[in-house]
Amino acid sequence: MTKTAVITGSTSGIGLAIAKAFAKTGANIVLNGFGAADEIRMVTDEVAGLGAGAVLHHPADMTKPAEIADLMATAAARFGGTDILVNNAGVQFVEKIEDFPVEQWDRIIAINLSSSFHTIRAAVPAMKEKGWGRIVNIASAHGLVASPFKSAYVAAKHGIMGLTKTVALEVAENGITVNSICPGYVLTPLVEKQIPDQARTRGITEEQVINDVMLKGQPTKKFITVEQVASLALYLASNDAAQITGTHVSMDGGWTAQ
Ligand code: NAD
C-alpha cells in the first residue's frame, strides 16, 4: 500500500532532501515550509516528478498549533493518515544568554520542540490503528552536547531527545518506531545564515567561523550532505529498522565521540 510521509520544514535543506528521497520510493508526500509561492510551486512539481505518489504542500506555521492540526488533518483527509512523520522544521538564533531575545527563545522552542508534540499527537492514533508507523525527529548533535550562544536551540534539541524516548515507549507495541537523527554541520541555508551571525558575535571572519568554529569540532573536517541525512531517514522508516526505537543515530563526522 502507498505510504504517506509528512515532512515539516521541507521547502529547503534537509527536509527537502528527505521529501525527495521518500518521493522516489513512491510515497505520497506532504510538504510544509515557507517560501515564495512560485518557489513552493517549483519544489512541489520537482518532488512530484520523482515518484508515483501524490504531492501537496501545506503552509502550516510550526509556531501555531491550530495550523499544525490542520496540516495533520489535511494529510488524514487526503491520504488516510500519516504513515511516516518527519519532524524537521527548525530555526536557529545565536546570541549570548543575557542578550537572548525572549521572542526568539519562544519561537525556537515552539518550532524546534513543541511543533513535534503537536504533529506526533495527531499522527499516532491512525498509526496505532494501522499497526505501523515511523516517526523520525531531526534533532542535532546539539541534542547531545552544547555550544555557547545557542541556548534555545540546544535546549529544544535536548528536549526532542526526551520526547523521542517517551513516545517510543508509549507506542512500542503498536508497530510504531520513534527515533532522532543527530546531524553535525550540514551545509544548508540554516547553516549559511549562521556564518555571518557567528562572525559578528565572535568578532572573527566568516572563513574563521567555517574552519575554526564549525568544522573544528567535526573530526572528518567535512560538512555532512543533505542526501546522507535523507538516506538515514529512509533507513529508519524501513521495515529493517523495526527494532530501532527510542534512540538516536548520530551523523556528525565524529563530533560527539570527543
Ligand atoms: P533550512 O533553513 O534549510 O530549512 C528549514 C525549513 O523549515 C524550511 O523549509 C523553512 O521554510 C521551514 N520553517 C522554518 N520556520 C518554519 C515555521 N515556523 N513553520 C514551518 N516551517 C518552517 O534548515 P536545515 O538546515 O535544513 O534544518 C532542518 C532541520 O535540521 C532543523 O531542525 C535543524 O535544526 C536540523 N539540523 C540542521 C543541521 C545543519 O547543520 N543544517 C544540523 C543539525 C540539525
Side-chain angles (χ1 to χ4, degrees):
M1 227 187 70
T2 305
K3 296 265 194 293
T4 296
V6 174
I7 304 117
T8 68
S10 45
T11 50
S12 162
I14 294 169
L16 178 55
I18 292 174
K20 287 181 180 173
F22 279 111
K24 286 181 192 161
T25 70
N28 300 317
I29 304 293
V30 180
L31 296 168
N32 158 259
F34 297 149
D38 55 336
E39 279 167 20
I40 288 174
R41 210 170 311 117
M42 256 175 50
V43 164
T44 308
D45 289 348
E46 189 191 352
V47 175
L50 295 173
V55 179
L56 66 85
H57 172 266
H58 189 288
D61 179 340
M62 290 294 124
T63 64
K64 302 203 165 97
E67 293 187 19
I68 300 171
D70 191 63
L71 162 73
M72 301 307 291
T74 301
R78 179 76 192 274
F79 302 121
T82 301
D83 303 293
I84 300 156
L85 170 64
V86 182
N87 288 306
N88 167 79
V91 290
Q92 176 63 283
F93 192 85
V94 179
E95 188 52 275
K96 39 187 185 306
I97 187 71
E98 62 270 36
D99 294 333
F100 209 94
V102 172
E103 60 278 10
Q104 288 295 344
W105 171 275
D106 289 343
R107 176 171 165 262
I108 291 174
I109 298 298
I111 299 171
N112 296 16
L113 176 58
S114 301
S115 73
S116 301
F117 160 73
H118 295 295
T119 55
I120 291 171
R121 70 191 287 279
V124 159
M127 288 179 175
K128 277 186 172 171
E129 232 166 78
K130 291 181 190 177
W132 197 95
R134 293 288 183 269
I135 299 172
V136 179
N137 299 318
I138 307 303
S140 168
H142 282 126
L144 298 163
V145 295
S147 295
F149 313 123
K150 296 184 174 177
S151 52
Y153 187 88
V154 171
K157 294 298 186 182
H158 276 66
I160 197 79
M161 305 292 279
L163 181 65
T164 298
K165 291 181 203 173
T166 306
V167 181
L169 295 179
E170 291 183 30
V171 299
E173 291 183 42
N174 299 99
I176 306 168
T177 68
V178 191
N179 293 292
S180 297
I181 294 179
C182 295
Y185 276 107
V186 188
L187 197 57
T188 66
L190 182 139
V191 168
E192 277 164 346
K193 261 183 269 158
Q194 279 181 57
I195 296 170
D197 285 356
Q198 289 226 26
R200 180 181 46 80
T201 311
R202 293 170 186 266
I204 56 177
T205 67
E206 294 192 9
E207 206 176 338
Q208 285 172 315
V209 171
I210 294 172
N211 294 320
D212 302 343
V213 179
M214 292 186 165
L215 297 184
K216 183 174 172 230
Q218 201 149 293
T220 55
K221 302 292 177 206
K222 285 192 179 119
F223 281 110
I224 294 144
T225 69
V226 292
E227 291 79 13
Q228 288 167 337
V229 181
S231 168
L232 180 54
L234 270 191
Y235 173 67
L236 290 174
S238 71
N239 285 328
D240 283 348
Q243 290 301 325
I244 301 178
T245 196
T247 190
H248 68 271
V249 182
S250 286
M251 184 181 276
D252 64 8
W255 175 351
T256 54
Q258 299 169 100

